[in-house]
Amino acid sequence: MTSDDDKVFLRKRWHELRAKYAELRFETAKGPVHGDAHVQNLMVDDQGHVILIDFETFCYDHPEWDLMVTAVEHHSLGWRTDEQYADFAAAYGRDLYDCHGYETLRGIQEFCMTTWIMQNVQEDEETPAEYRRCIVGLRNDDAPREQSRSVGVHW
């Protein structure tokens, strides 16, 4: 169950993130964006071709959104090794970590991951604890992000 205190915090945090986002100036032009681009949304067919799946958040926006998922999985959560992340950044041609706006985009990505977990706290016994770890991370940028991959694929 989400506490009233968490709800107040999440509303306040969302307004803060929206204000910071409004100030961002992107270095890239808008184009097609998958919206949830990460390795769990890749499949390999019998011929070895990689296929991108799960287009429910596909939109027309800045490509930083697709890069941010893997950046958070690496920098915040440690789900990708340095080598895997370097390969990803080289293949994409860009690493967001040193880009203007990284912290704002990271905050938005982590907020979305947390609220995705929040809506699923009734599904099993592990999810409420996962949500509590996520909300601690949102409340404190210096808190460790030791989230598991067992609860969904988002956080």
Side-chain angles (χ1 to χ4, degrees), residues 69-83 85:
V69 176
T70 300
V72 167
E73 288 180 351
H74 174 260
H75 296 297
S76 295
L77 304 175
W79 291 358
R80 308 285 164 250
T81 66
D82 289 344
E83 182 180 1
Y85 185 74

Side-chain angles (χ1 to χ4, degrees), residues 16-26 30 61-62 65 104-105 108:
E16 290 169 357
L17 289 168
R18 285 181 62 188
K20 289 180 181 180
Y21 179 78
E23 295 173 4
L24 287 182
R25 299 298 169 249
F26 289 92
K30 287 185 175 183
D61 209 328
H62 296 280
W65 290 115
T104 298
L105 296 175
I108 292 169

Side-chain angles (χ1 to χ4, degrees), residues 39 41-53:
V39 296
N41 282 335
L42 298 175
M43 294 179 68
V44 180
D45 69 13
D46 294 341
Q47 289 78 40
H49 299 109
V50 177
I51 302 166
L52 185 61
I53 62 168

Side-chain angles (χ1 to χ4, degrees), residues 9 106 110 135-145:
F9 166 76
R106 175 184 159 219
E110 289 182 357
I135 199 78
V136 166
L138 281 187
R139 288 178 181 272
N140 180 357
D141 284 337
D142 296 326
R145 272 117 168 103

Side-chain angles (χ1 to χ4, degrees), residues 1 6 11-12 15 20 28 31 33 46 68 72-73 87-88 91 97-98 108-110 114 121 127 139 142 146:
M1 197 58 120
D6 283 353
R11 283 185 197 102
K12 180 181 179 212
H15 289 293
K20 289 180 181 180
T28 59
V33 173
D46 294 341
M68 209 56 224
V72 167
E73 288 180 351
D87 288 347
F88 166 80
Y97 191 65
D98 295 323
I108 292 169
Q109 183 67 34
E110 289 182 357
T114 301
V121 295
T127 305
R139 288 178 181 272
D142 296 326
E146 299 173 358

Side-chain angles (χ1 to χ4, degrees), residues 116-135:
W116 184 88
I117 290 289
M118 181 181 75
Q119 72 182 350
N120 295 296
V121 295
Q122 302 296 329
E123 288 192 12
D124 56 43
E125 294 176 11
E126 296 175 7
T127 305
E130 190 74 12
Y131 166 73
R132 285 189 295 279
R133 286 190 294 271
C134 291
I135 199 78

